Amino acid sequence: MTNNTITTAVRASAEARTAEVPRPSRPPRSRGPLHRLRRWWIMGGFSTLMIAVPMIFIFGYFAWWPIISGLTMAFQRPDFLGPDEFVGWSNFEYVLTDPLLPKVIGNTLMFAGLSILFGFPLPLLMATFMAELRGSRRLYSVLAYLPVLIPPVVVVLLWQFFYNPGASGFFNEILGVFGIGPFGWLNSSDMVIPSMVLAATWAGAGSAMIIYLAAMTSVSRDLYEAAELDGAGIVSRTWHITFPQIRGVILILLLLSIIGSMQVFTEPFIFTKGGPDNASMTILLMIYNYAFIGADFGAATALSVLLGLVLCVVSVIYFYATRRYSK
């Protein structure tokens, strides 16, 4: 064996060992703050920040600042002629010991319950009916949405005419044909809340119906065609296709309905001012009376904070309870 042969064999063996041994990976290059800042600048972060700053400022000033001011005022006795006095929890104690508060909470919960029970399914059923129409869907949609275009104050005044307690009132005159009534409607402690729920449902059903209808148009037509080929009727298609496909929209609108009904103000304020005998006094109307009738802004903000906390807790529980159905 010659020297050249040995040298070649040794070199080949060395190259084979080199190929078998994995090379150590190069440690990652450290990326310091300057590198990240330079990358953020190159990727357009500064331009994005300049666009977002005005919106953040406007939103913070008009949305978050009033909330912070309200939280602060809840612990003060505002004095518009001098410095505000810090009173600790006394505003909350005053509100929670108000003998009218249980009745007000009951009225609000009754309004919210009836609104959810009767006012929430109605727009969904209307949208389902219109989704099945072929030629006249737009006409019915416009007719159903018309009440939304009427200002809330005008709606309430219109329903005050309907609820005229005399025999010549609109509803009483119709019921009188069948020998029923007349009813006091807004003057009756038992009927005032259901009467306001009916007016609020009529005024707000169009908005929810349009949202449901828009969500239903996004459902694939192939699903309905396949169901029709299998002989599924409208009830089966709605239950097994439409509702599962738009359940996210349904759950969000249900939460918004709960929050909106707990904050009802326009109807009791214009219809009855909380009467008769506080039978239609709601939480927001009580807050209004604290602030603008009794000039007690500390109690008004304290009750507002309590209502906001309750709605936050309800929202968290709602999202936790429905998270598996909203996906």
Side-chain angles (χ1 to χ4, degrees):
M1 181 177 295
T2 62
N3 291 336
N4 291 335
T5 305
I6 296 173
T7 303
T8 302
V10 170
R11 185 178 299 169
S13 177
E15 291 177 353
R17 288 197 301 272
T18 304
E20 293 174 355
V21 176
R23 295 182 177 179
S25 60
R26 181 179 295 179
R29 297 174 59 185
S30 61
R31 299 181 183 277
L34 291 178
H35 177 80
R36 289 195 294 268
L37 179 61
R38 182 171 177 272
R39 182 177 178 81
W40 173 77
W41 181 279
I42 293 174
M43 297 297 291
F46 183 75
S47 302
T48 305
L49 181 61
M50 289 297 100
I51 295 174
V53 162
M55 299 303 299
I56 294 173
F57 176 77
I58 293 173
F59 187 80
Y61 186 79
F62 290 102
W64 288 103
W65 179 247
I67 296 175
I68 296 173
S69 299
L71 288 173
T72 305
M73 192 179 293
F75 295 93
Q76 296 175 336
R77 180 174 292 114
D79 186 353
F80 296 103
L81 300 178
D84 298 332
E85 179 186 359
F86 181 77
V87 295
W89 295 96
S90 63
N91 286 329
F92 293 92
E93 294 174 359
Y94 173 75
V95 167
L96 293 176
T97 56
D98 192 326
L100 185 58
L101 185 62
K103 186 176 184 61
V104 170
I105 293 176
N107 293 339
T108 306
L109 291 177
M110 182 178 179
F111 183 92
L114 292 177
S115 297
I116 299 302
L117 183 62
F118 298 106
F120 178 73
L122 180 63
L124 188 56
L125 296 176
M126 292 168 59
T128 304
F129 170 73
M130 292 183 185
E132 293 294 328
L133 297 177
R134 295 295 186 266
S136 305
R137 178 190 299 178
R138 291 185 178 180
L139 174 61
Y140 287 108
S141 300
V142 171
L143 292 177
Y145 193 71
L146 273 180
V148 182
L149 302 179
I150 302 176
V153 176
V154 178
V155 170
V156 173
L157 294 177
L158 178 66
W159 280 82
Q160 273 186 329
F161 168 74
F162 293 160
Y163 286 141
N164 188 329
S168 60
F170 182 76
F171 286 151
N172 283 335
E173 194 169 1
I174 294 175
L175 294 176
V177 175
F178 304 96
I180 304 174
F183 296 104
W185 304 110
L186 300 175
N187 296 331
S188 169
S189 300
D190 297 329
M191 300 185 68
V192 62
I193 293 290
S195 300
M196 291 194 300
V197 169
L198 179 61
T201 301
W202 178 84
S207 297
M209 185 209 66
I210 291 296
I211 296 174
Y212 286 132
L213 201 57
M216 289 177 184
T217 56
S218 64
V219 179
S220 175
R221 301 302 305 176
D222 296 339
L223 298 175
Y224 292 110
E225 293 173 359
E228 288 176 356
L229 291 176
D230 291 339
I234 179 173
V235 176
S236 180
R237 294 198 304 271
T238 302
W239 185 258
H240 294 289
I241 297 177
T242 305
F243 287 173
Q245 292 292 319
I246 65 168
R247 61 182 182 275
V249 177
I250 295 175
L251 293 174
I252 290 297
L253 285 182
L254 178 58
L255 177 62
L256 294 179
S257 298
I258 295 172
I259 294 175
S261 58
M262 292 289 290
Q263 296 178 338
V264 59
F265 173 76
T266 304
E267 287 80 6
F269 178 70
I270 301 179
F271 270 139
T272 61
K273 295 290 190 299
D277 193 22
N278 295 319
S280 60
M281 180 72 71
T282 59
I283 295 178
L284 249 63
L285 188 56
M286 189 176 185
I287 292 172
Y288 174 87
N289 289 339
Y290 275 144
F292 299 103
I293 303 300
D296 192 346
F297 290 92
T301 51
L303 186 55
S304 302
V305 170
L306 291 175
L307 177 61
L309 291 176
V310 170
L311 292 180
C312 286
V313 172
V314 170
S315 300
V316 171
I317 295 174
Y318 180 86
F319 278 119
Y320 181 79
T322 61
R323 68 185 190 283
R324 60 177 295 189
Y325 303 106
S326 59
K327 297 180 180 177

